Amino acid sequence: KRRPRSSSSCGSRAVAAMAPRREAGLLLLLLVLPPASAGLSSYFGTKSRYEEVNPHLVSDPLSLGPGAGGSLPASCTPLQLRAVLRHGTRYPTAGQIRRLGELHARLLRRAPGAAACPAAAALADWPMWYEESLDGRLAPQGRRDMEQLARRMAARFPALFAARRRLALASSSKHRCLQSGAAFRRGLGPTLDFGGDEVEVEVNDSLMRFFDHCAKFVALVEENDTAMCQVNAFKEGPEMKKVLEKVASALCLPVEQLNADLVQVAFLTCSYELAIKNVTSPWCSLFSEEDAKVLEYLNDLKQYWKRGYGYDINSRSSCILFQDIFQHLDKAVEESKSSKPISSPLIVQVGHAETLQPLLALMGYFKDDEPLLASNYARQAHRKFRSGRIVPYAANLVFVLYHCDHVNTSQEEYQVQLLLNEKLLSFQYSNDTISTYTDLKDYYKDILENCHFKEECELPTVNVTAVDEL
């Protein structure tokens, strides 16, 4: 297999390859935190706590939040709920733990005097408790994330989560996802009889880890350093250089002993300690809010080019999941029209940030007018694409299909709502939070009819460079 060339700089072709397939409409949903959340926690990207997008959960983990009533007419009854979840709060991966161990050992070796370098001395005293065996596993807080999400979902849609309704649970093969699925089921409690005491969690990597099965994505994006040229350029750019120099100074280390990856590990350790233990780690003291914005942008650049709008294949590879969602919605509509019971009223699937982010990009959400580049950090201060607001731990995208009585036309009989992280999501084509099912299918007709996973994901046979193909 030909390995694409590696490069730390960005050619113009890589940026030109960005051209979108479809202009996204305006998104009214703004996931904005109140000023009280100022500090670092707003900038942890995909390592953000779920409470960052729903601050009301800090004081009441079972609260449905403001405006929970929704805007549906009383004559509408929910028929089916399809939820795609990200797993709950997890431990760092083995690679992140190794890098943290390397940085911590460096501070221990220096053992500077507390008076000369208090930040380094405090971090040298910090107990390095992460072990590589934790490798991305679900933390106890992650189980609570899922149990509480299940309870809130059941409270929001009591008719669907009533006793003797069938629950179909699926998950990626990763341990944290399987455990998240089991925790979600536990959160529903023993009173709900889903046709048996225990609901089996089905492993379905073809839907929950579609990116692993897409050869074109793996070769041209996942394993191709050139595809990440914007990320690499930002690591070497002026904003990161300033953060590096500041952290090196605080730790009394020569700046040559640090790099962007090590500084990012220090920043993410601050995020892990908050998410896992709900404590402010001494690692947080190395960073100001301005530093945090720079490091968030580094994280978002990677998400954008690897999972978002950077390359078409990122989102196109998710069409297998998108189409599966609509096949089940179609089936529920058919069963309802035939007066049959809905065979799958509840479908809950647990995957990753890498499952949800491409799916939302495929649907056109959180798309900025200008691509995220290494060179436009300042201009992107108010960007829509902020991964911490879109796919924090326990993120969830929910499709709810309704049957409505007393309607004027047959098209209005079946209606849909979307919720992202338990907030109603406006439709791209109307800016409303309720749509007829027909309108929704019409808007996404091209993806539903013409996006074929096998063809999309085939590697090109012609020997072209990765950026030309993308």
Side-chain angles (χ1 to χ4, degrees):
K1 169 175 141 184
R2 181 183 62 82
R3 292 283 296 181
R5 69 185 187 279
S6 174
S7 168
S8 60
S9 62
C10 293
S12 58
R13 287 174 301 175
V15 181
M18 276 276 318
R21 284 180 186 267
R22 182 180 72 246
E23 284 300 314
L26 289 174
L27 179 67
L28 290 188
L29 180 77
L30 292 175
L31 304 176
V32 181
L33 293 180
S37 299
L40 305 184
S41 62
S42 301
Y43 306 107
F44 290 147
T46 53
K47 308 300 183 289
S48 296
R49 302 181 302 171
Y50 189 64
E51 287 80 5
E52 298 304 319
V53 295
N54 284 311
H56 60 271
L57 297 177
V58 174
S59 55
D60 181 1
L62 298 181
S63 165
L64 299 187
S71 56
L72 272 179
S75 59
C76 293
T77 308
L79 290 182
Q80 186 179 69
L81 179 147
R82 174 70 173 265
V84 182
L85 318 180
R86 183 191 179 191
H87 57 76
T89 303
R90 65 164 174 83
Y91 292 110
T93 61
Q96 289 163 333
I97 293 169
R98 273 194 298 275
R99 282 193 290 276
L100 175 60
E102 178 190 333
L103 180 57
H104 191 243
R106 203 168 289 181
L107 296 175
L108 285 171
R109 282 195 299 273
R110 281 191 60 83
C117 209
L123 288 170
D125 288 342
W126 174 79
M128 170 60 185
W129 63 274
Y130 296 101
E131 298 172 358
E132 287 187 37
S133 59
L134 291 171
D135 190 21
R137 292 174 95 77
L138 195 69
Q141 178 57 45
R143 288 193 281 277
R144 288 191 288 274
D145 292 339
M146 288 290 121
E147 288 172 5
Q148 291 162 357
L149 176 61
R151 290 175 68 181
R152 292 192 303 272
M153 222 176 260
R156 196 182 294 270
F157 300 104
L160 281 176
F161 284 85
R164 292 179 298 282
R165 301 303 296 269
R166 180 170 176 265
L167 168 66
L169 257 181
S171 163
S172 99
S173 58
K174 293 290 182 183
H175 195 266
R176 56 186 171 273
C177 295
L178 288 163
Q179 282 206 326
S180 291
F184 185 92
R185 172 64 187 91
R186 266 197 315 278
L188 297 175
T191 52
L192 294 181
D193 174 21
F194 292 106
D197 290 339
E198 281 304 315
V199 175
E200 287 294 316
V201 181
E202 174 207 351
V203 172
N204 191 335
D205 278 344
S206 65
L207 290 183
M208 292 296 97
R209 294 183 65 85
F210 50 79
F211 42 88
D212 281 346
H213 300 264
C214 184
K216 183 176 180 182
F217 170 79
V218 170
L220 301 189
V221 180
E222 181 77 59
E223 296 180 351
N224 175 18
D225 288 344
T226 311
M228 293 299 104
C229 63
Q230 295 294 335
V231 179
N232 296 331
F234 190 72
K235 285 180 180 179
E236 305 294 329
E239 294 88 1
M240 275 304 299
K241 189 180 176 197
K242 192 174 166 187
V243 176
L244 240 67
E245 288 170 349
K246 186 182 160 190
V247 172
S249 173
L251 296 176
C252 302
L253 286 172
V255 73
E256 300 77 34
Q257 286 194 23
L258 286 180
N259 58 36
D261 292 337
L262 283 175
V263 168
Q264 195 174 33
V265 162
F267 182 61
L268 292 180
T269 303
C270 170
S271 78
Y272 282 120
E273 303 269 274
L274 179 66
I276 295 166
K277 291 181 154 187
N278 198 26
V279 298
T280 300
S281 170
W283 291 97
C284 303
S285 68
L286 297 175
F287 305 99
S288 67
E289 190 171 357
E290 193 50 51
D291 301 332
K293 289 177 182 178
V294 172
L295 287 158
E296 179 197 30
Y297 193 69
L298 176 60
N299 186 327
D300 286 350
L301 267 178
K302 183 179 175 185
Q303 290 295 317
Y304 184 89
W305 287 93
K306 208 167 199 173
R307 308 294 177 181
Y309 291 103
Y311 302 108
D312 275 341
I313 191 58
N314 300 349
S315 58
R316 298 290 286 185
S317 62
S318 74
C319 69
I320 188 170
L321 173 58
F322 189 69
Q323 290 164 344
D324 186 78
I325 289 168
F326 278 84
Q327 284 162 13
H328 280 95
L329 292 169
D330 282 348
K331 188 178 179 187
V333 168
E334 287 168 22
E335 289 170 339
S336 169
K337 285 180 174 175
S338 308
S339 302
K340 293 177 182 173
I342 306 303
S343 53
S344 299
L346 288 173
I347 304 170
V348 176
Q349 298 168 307
V350 189
H352 306 262
E354 296 87 350
T355 312
L356 274 169
Q357 191 77 76
L359 183 63
L360 286 161
L362 186 73
M363 295 174 71
Y365 285 104
F366 304 102
K367 188 174 193 309
D368 294 285
D369 294 335
E370 197 179 342
L372 272 64
L373 304 171
S375 57
N376 64 2
Y377 166 72
R379 289 201 303 280
Q380 292 288 11
H382 302 290
R383 65 190 178 279
K384 296 174 189 173
F385 194 92
R386 289 187 66 194
S387 58
R389 306 291 173 90
I390 306 168
V391 285
Y393 294 125
N396 49 90
L397 176 64
V398 177
F399 291 72
V400 188
L401 175 69
Y402 296 88
H403 177 262
C404 301
D405 297 319
H406 315 303
V407 291
N408 297 322
T409 66
S410 59
Q411 281 199 352
E412 294 171 15
E413 194 176 344
Y414 295 95
Q415 302 199 29
V416 187
Q417 281 189 323
L418 295 178
L419 294 96
L420 178 65
N421 301 328
E422 300 174 79
K423 295 184 180 75
L424 288 169
L425 196 56
S426 302
F427 292 94
Q428 297 283 45
Y429 45 90
S430 67
N431 291 330
D432 291 329
T433 57
I434 182 76
S435 168
T436 67
Y437 185 52
T438 304
D439 284 348
L440 180 66
K441 286 186 70 175
D442 282 350
Y443 183 72
Y444 290 115
K445 185 177 180 182
D446 177 61
I447 299 169
L448 292 172
E449 293 181 0
N450 301 317
C451 183
H452 304 289
F453 183 81
K454 187 169 179 287
E455 287 80 358
E456 298 281 348
C457 288
E458 268 178 351
L459 270 172
T461 49
V462 185
N463 188 22
V464 293
T465 64
V467 289
D468 283 340
E469 171 58 26
L470 288 165

